């Protein structure tokens, strides 16, 4: 085993025999949040991900990050690219362009030129041969009415993958063409349009039962899954009858966002359930709300439109839930949230302690809240007793608006 792979596994508490999958969600400019956590992961591992992972998977911005890992870029190098790329990618198509009334809002001309410059005309097969990394990217095929998985796997010299000879930059554009934000890429739109904004379950299934079958084993597999910050839209029951603004726009935005979020959570719940016995899942996500953010170190933040807070703990739920994937004015805020999350995972106060004495996560296991199957930084707001009481009352049911 290569020395960097061995050291990374020792530092991250991964059994030496295990293969490692790195999976990254979609989320537009919020990918800068994820990069802060990846930087901390690589720091602890002692080397960039491409030196010790076995497979990468990504959707949309996660696909972009995974593509750059395939091009042997470290998280620090990818962050430098993101800093230059993000403002150019979200370029307004025209002053009249709008997601709702005149979509798409943005032009992909700069994205296409920049990705060509970054990755050239390499095929998935060529990148697999150059790095030894297997891969999976998602895109929704409108013409076929189904998700497409762009994959390339090498098992003992046999290369598998229906689309192994396509160009990486074509896959990068297919997986990031989010409807209303960007125009479709011929028949393809963003892989996260419905179920696969989080590609982790697809990646695990592909590795264990399809192109990676025989190479990957479920009881010898560690999976790092990274979110890009989850926007949880908590709506009070009294507000559901008369949402703010036009009802049609409110529900359109709500359904578009919630469909992929719920699908992501269901995939994580499935992998955490033990249904795939022996799987070592390590999921990292932050819900963008006050309760979750108040668990983080209270780092100062730079001024941004509509935000007057000086530190993270001064942010409100309304401000956090409105961090859109294309809102580049919140780019620095998402970077700060990522830095604070990375510090929460690996606090400097524990650095001098032996790993066995550290209480924080340090990427050693799934990132769970104590005595829970929910993420340590993912908020839950339920009312079990209230729901039980109200929905058991015939009088209450009959008084509800029809």
């Amino acid at each position: 085993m290569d020395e960097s792979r061995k050291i990374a596994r020792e530092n991250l508490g991964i059994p030496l025999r295990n293969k490692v999958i790195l999976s990254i969600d979609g989320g537009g400019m919020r990918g800068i949040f994820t990069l802060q956590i990846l930087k901390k992961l690589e720091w602890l591992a002692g080397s960039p991900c491409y030196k010790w992972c076995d497979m990468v998977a990504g959707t949309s911005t996660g696909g972009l990050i995974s593509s750059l890992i395939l091009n042997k870029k470290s998280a620090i190098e990818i962050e430098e690219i993101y800093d230059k790329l993000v403002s150019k990618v979200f370029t307004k198509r025209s002053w009249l362009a709008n997601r709702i009334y005149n979509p798409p809002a943005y032009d992909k001309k700069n994205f296409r030129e920049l990705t060509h410059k970054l990755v050239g005309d390499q095929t998935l097969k060529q990148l697999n041969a150059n790095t030894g990394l297997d891969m999976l990217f998602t895109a929704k095929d409108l013409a076929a009415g189904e998700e497409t998985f762009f994959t390339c796997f090498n098992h003992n010299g046999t290369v598998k993958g229906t689309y192994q000879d396509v160009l990486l930059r074509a896959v990068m554009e297919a997986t990031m063409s989010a409807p209303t934000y960007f125009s479709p890429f011929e028949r393809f739109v963003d892989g996260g349009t419905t179920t696969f904004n989080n590609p982790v379950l697809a990646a695990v299934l592909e590795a264990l039962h399809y192109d990676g079958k025989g190479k990957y084993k479920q009881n010898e597999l560690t999976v790092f899954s990274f979110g890009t910050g989850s926007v949880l839209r908590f709506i009070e029951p009294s507000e559901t009858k008369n949402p703010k603004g036009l009802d049609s726009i409110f529900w359109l935005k709500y359904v578009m966002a919630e469909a992929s979020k719920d699908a992501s959570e269901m995939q994580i719940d499935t992998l955490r359930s033990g249904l795939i016995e022996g799987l070592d899942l390590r999921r990292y996500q932050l819900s963008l709300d006050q309760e979750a953010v108040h668990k983080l170190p209270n780092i100062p933040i730079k001024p941004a439109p509509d935000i007057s807070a000086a530190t993270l703990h001064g942010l409100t739920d309304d401000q956090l839930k409105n961090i859109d994937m294309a809102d580049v004015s919140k780019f620095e805020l998402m970077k700060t949230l990522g830095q604070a999350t990375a510090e929460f995972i690996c606090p400097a106060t524990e650095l001098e302690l032996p790993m066995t004495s550290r209480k924080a996560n340090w990427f050693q296991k799934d990132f769970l809240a104590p005595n829970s199957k929910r993420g340590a930084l993912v908020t839950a707001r339920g009312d079990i007793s209230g729901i039980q009481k109200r929905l058991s009352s015939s009088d209450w049911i009959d008084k509800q608006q029809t």
Side-chain angles (χ1 to χ4, degrees):
M1 177 180 288
D2 179 81
E3 189 65 18
S4 60
R5 290 170 66 85
K6 183 178 179 181
I7 291 171
R9 279 158 171 72
E10 290 174 350
N11 291 346
L12 297 171
I14 301 171
L16 292 179
R17 67 179 181 277
N18 279 26
K19 293 193 180 300
V20 178
I21 296 176
L22 181 70
S23 174
I24 308 174
D25 296 8
M29 69 86 194
R30 296 203 303 261
I32 194 65
F33 164 88
T34 314
L35 282 168
Q36 308 314 304
I37 304 173
L38 283 177
K39 280 163 54 180
K40 187 67 75 172
L41 177 72
E42 291 188 343
W43 165 79
L44 184 60
S47 58
C49 292
Y50 68 82
K51 290 192 174 183
W52 49 269
C53 285
D54 297 280
M55 175 183 173
V56 293
T59 294
S60 195
T61 197
L64 176 56
I65 294 171
S66 296
S67 296
L68 294 173
I69 291 172
L70 281 168
N71 279 269
K72 297 184 177 180
K73 302 292 185 185
S74 69
I76 290 175
E77 291 173 313
I78 298 172
E79 180 183 34
E80 292 173 354
I81 292 169
Y82 255 66
D83 284 339
K84 299 174 183 177
L85 188 67
V86 69
S87 62
K88 297 178 180 178
V89 168
F90 293 105
T91 303
K92 291 282 285 186
R93 186 169 53 85
S94 73
W95 71 274
L96 288 171
N98 178 280
R99 283 189 62 207
I100 304 299
Y101 302 109
N102 184 22
Y106 305 101
D107 192 317
K108 293 187 295 184
K109 179 181 178 181
N110 286 341
F111 178 84
R112 189 174 297 170
E113 292 176 353
L114 290 166
T115 51
H116 194 187
K117 189 177 297 185
L118 282 169
V119 305
D121 283 330
Q122 301 176 88
T123 66
L124 303 189
K125 184 177 180 179
Q126 287 172 329
L127 285 156
N128 175 264
N130 290 339
T131 63
L133 287 169
D134 299 323
M135 65 199 76
L136 175 143
F137 301 94
T138 70
K140 182 73 175 183
D141 185 336
L142 299 176
E146 63 184 16
E147 198 79 13
T148 294
F149 301 112
F150 294 98
T151 65
C152 187
F153 285 71
N154 188 319
H155 188 200
N156 295 327
T158 300
V159 180
K160 294 183 179 181
T162 302
Y163 299 108
Q164 60 183 273
D165 292 317
V166 304
L167 300 186
L168 175 65
R169 68 185 183 97
V171 175
M172 292 168 74
E173 184 167 341
T175 193
M176 64 75 69
S177 295
T180 73
Y181 290 96
F182 299 104
S183 60
F185 182 55
E186 201 240 4
R187 64 194 291 154
F188 293 109
V189 293
D190 191 314
T193 302
T194 52
T195 304
F196 297 100
N197 193 57
N198 178 352
V200 66
L201 183 58
V204 170
L205 292 177
E206 193 72 33
L208 294 178
H209 297 290
Y210 296 101
D211 284 349
K213 187 175 183 179
K215 179 176 181 178
Y216 293 82
K217 301 175 183 179
Q218 65 188 56
N219 60 345
E220 296 180 358
L221 183 60
T222 295
V223 180
F224 287 99
S225 172
F226 294 97
T228 56
S230 175
V231 177
L232 302 184
R233 290 167 175 81
F234 300 113
I235 301 170
E236 294 300 323
S238 59
E239 297 178 5
T240 60
K241 300 170 187 175
N242 186 26
K244 296 176 182 177
L246 292 174
D247 285 14
S248 57
I249 294 177
F250 172 86
W251 288 114
L252 174 63
K253 288 184 175 180
Y254 184 84
V255 171
M256 286 177 65
E258 292 299 299
S260 63
K261 182 182 73 67
D262 286 352
S264 172
E265 291 175 357
M266 186 62 192
Q267 291 178 57
I268 295 300
D269 288 344
T270 298
L271 294 180
R272 281 177 170 158
S273 70
L275 197 61
I276 301 178
E277 190 176 354
L279 180 71
D280 174 21
L281 173 70
R282 307 182 188 186
R283 168 71 171 174
Y284 296 85
Q285 177 66 301
L286 168 74
S287 58
L288 297 173
D289 61 88
Q290 284 178 282
E291 185 176 335
V293 170
H294 274 247
K295 296 176 184 177
L296 302 175
N298 194 22
I299 296 177
I301 57 178
K302 295 180 180 179
D306 307 318
I307 292 177
S308 59
T311 64
L312 290 180
H313 291 186
L315 295 168
T316 67
D317 277 341
D318 281 343
Q319 291 167 340
L320 288 161
K321 75 179 182 182
N322 287 315
I323 302 179
D324 186 77
M325 61 171 271
D327 187 356
V328 295
S329 71
K330 306 298 192 304
F331 184 75
E332 289 298 327
L333 174 58
M334 286 305 304
K335 182 184 289 189
T336 303
L337 283 164
Q339 291 166 348
T341 302
E343 176 64 20
F344 184 90
I345 296 167
C346 301
T349 54
E350 295 186 356
L351 188 57
E352 300 303 321
L353 299 175
M355 192 63 75
T356 53
S357 299
R358 297 177 185 178
K359 295 181 180 180
N361 181 268
W362 289 89
F363 298 107
Q364 303 297 302
K365 58 185 178 181
D366 200 4
F367 191 42
L368 296 173
N371 305 313
S372 171
K373 285 289 186 180
R374 181 175 290 273
L377 293 174
V378 177
T379 301
R381 293 187 191 177
D383 181 21
I384 294 173
S385 61
I387 293 170
Q388 289 173 332
K389 181 179 178 180
R390 292 190 295 275
L391 271 63
S392 299
S393 168
S394 180
D395 288 342
W396 181 88
I397 294 169
D398 292 335
K399 289 177 182 177
Q400 298 309 298
Q401 180 177 313
T402 58

